[in-house]
């Protein structure tokens, strides 16, 4: 079993979740905050069999997009070299899952 943990833009989260449901994946979405921009994003957890991981990744890729954003003024003072940042479509961690239990 694997845990696919993906951090996506909050505006893409609903589309990803809907596509996961249509493909019969189960998921949980957490409202999270990026450490750099301090803006809300979404972290989607999917517990699944190892052989289904590529399909889950395809869904995440197909339903997210990269964005460019101005760095907020306060951060620009601290990091003057960064005027804009590219927010990737998704940041994904695939972790080994020892057990997946439902009670
Ligand atoms: P944030 O931490 O808010 O970062 C938003 C974007 O700002 C990043 O996009 C990156 O382009 C830029 N950025 C982040 N830290 C920076 C720094 N120290 N200096 C200059 N620019 C910086 P992404 O890399 O696509 O990350 C999007 C979101 O994914 C992040 O939001 C964070 O919530 C998460 N993330 C990315 N890498 C991570 C990691 N290694 N561990 C945990 N979370 C991560």
């Amino acid at each position: 079993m694997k845990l696919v943990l993906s951090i996506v833009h909050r505006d893409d989260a609903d589309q990803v979740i809907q596509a996961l449901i249509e493909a019969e994946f189960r998921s949980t979405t957490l409202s999270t905050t990026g450490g750099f921009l301090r803006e809300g994003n979404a972290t989607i957890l999917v517990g699944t069999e190892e052989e289904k991981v590529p399909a889950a990744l395809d869904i995440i890729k197909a339903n997210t997009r990269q964005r460019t954003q101005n760095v907020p003024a306060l951060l620009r003072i601290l990091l003057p070299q960064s005027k804009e940042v590219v927010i990737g479509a998704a940041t994904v961690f695939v972790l080994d899952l020892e057990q997946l239990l439902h009670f």
Side-chain angles (χ1 to χ4, degrees):
M1 296 293 291
K2 295 282 182 184
L3 177 64
V4 179
L5 191 159
S6 56
I7 303 165
V8 305
H9 196 278
R10 57 182 176 238
D11 293 343
D12 291 338
D14 280 347
Q15 207 174 311
V16 174
I17 295 159
Q18 189 57 39
L20 287 168
I21 291 169
E22 283 165 19
E24 300 187 356
F25 284 101
R26 295 185 181 202
S27 69
T28 294
T29 303
L30 309 173
S31 294
T32 46
T33 304
F36 185 66
L37 294 176
R38 317 284 165 92
E39 289 189 357
N41 50 28
T43 298
I44 301 172
L45 311 181
V46 178
T48 190
E49 290 87 2
E50 188 164 358
E51 59 271 22
K52 293 186 183 164
V53 169
L57 297 178
D58 285 347
I59 288 171
I60 294 162
K61 268 190 237 166
N63 290 281
T64 54
R65 67 176 178 87
Q66 181 180 289
R67 292 171 172 83
T68 303
Q69 187 166 321
N70 288 329
V71 173
L74 186 61
L75 279 174
R76 239 180 284 159
I77 295 165
L78 299 171
L79 294 166
Q81 75 280 10
S82 318
K83 286 202 172 112
E84 278 189 339
V85 285
V86 176
I87 305 173
T91 299
V92 183
F93 305 89
V94 180
L95 310 172
D96 288 329
L97 198 57
E98 200 168 311
Q99 288 185 303
L100 192 163
L101 306 171
H102 291 293
F103 295 109

